[in-house]
Amino acid sequence: YARSISFRKITGEKMKTFQQFNEETPKEFESLKKTGEKIKKIGKEFVDSGQADELKNAALKFMFNKFDEVVEKGNKKYNEFKNKVNK
């Protein structure tokens, strides 16, 4: 059978009423909203500066270099296997 564990036992506090929750929520989200606006401003500045394109290109170059390495290793193994079969 399932046991019920009360909110008070877990947190040591009395559970809030809907009214209390409803009054406190906008205050808590206001600071979150301000943080989001700051991050948005920083992100926009980053994109407008051209650094985002540089970062994207560097990431793509890195990715393609890794792909080339994998393809090279695969081709080497393929050719080794092919040579064994064709002997």
Side-chain angles (χ1 to χ4, degrees):
Y1 72 99
R3 284 185 54 195
S4 172
I5 300 175
S6 73
F7 184 81
R8 187 175 288 182
K9 280 186 180 178
I10 295 171
T11 64
E13 298 177 5
K14 189 175 177 184
M15 195 165 171
K16 294 179 183 179
T17 64
F18 178 76
Q19 182 64 34
Q20 289 170 320
F21 179 78
N22 206 20
E23 289 170 359
E24 292 174 7
T25 301
K27 294 174 195 169
E28 293 175 7
F29 282 107
E30 189 60 34
S31 66
L32 184 60
K33 183 179 176 184
K34 287 179 184 176
T35 302
E37 288 171 356
K38 287 179 187 175
I39 292 171
K40 178 181 170 185
K41 181 182 175 194
I42 292 169
K44 184 164 176 30
E45 290 171 358
F46 177 70
V47 169
D48 292 344
S49 72
Q51 290 177 334
D53 282 337
E54 292 172 15
L55 180 62
K56 177 193 71 169
N57 290 338
L60 287 172
K61 184 177 179 181
F62 175 79
M63 184 179 70
F64 287 132
N65 285 337
K66 291 297 177 186
F67 288 162
D68 289 343
E69 289 175 20
V70 170
V71 168
E72 219 173 275
K73 287 178 185 176
N75 282 339
K76 183 180 176 186
K77 288 182 181 181
Y78 167 77
N79 287 330
E80 289 172 359
F81 179 72
K82 184 174 141 185
N83 288 335
K84 283 182 185 178
V85 171
N86 288 333
K87 280 187 181 183

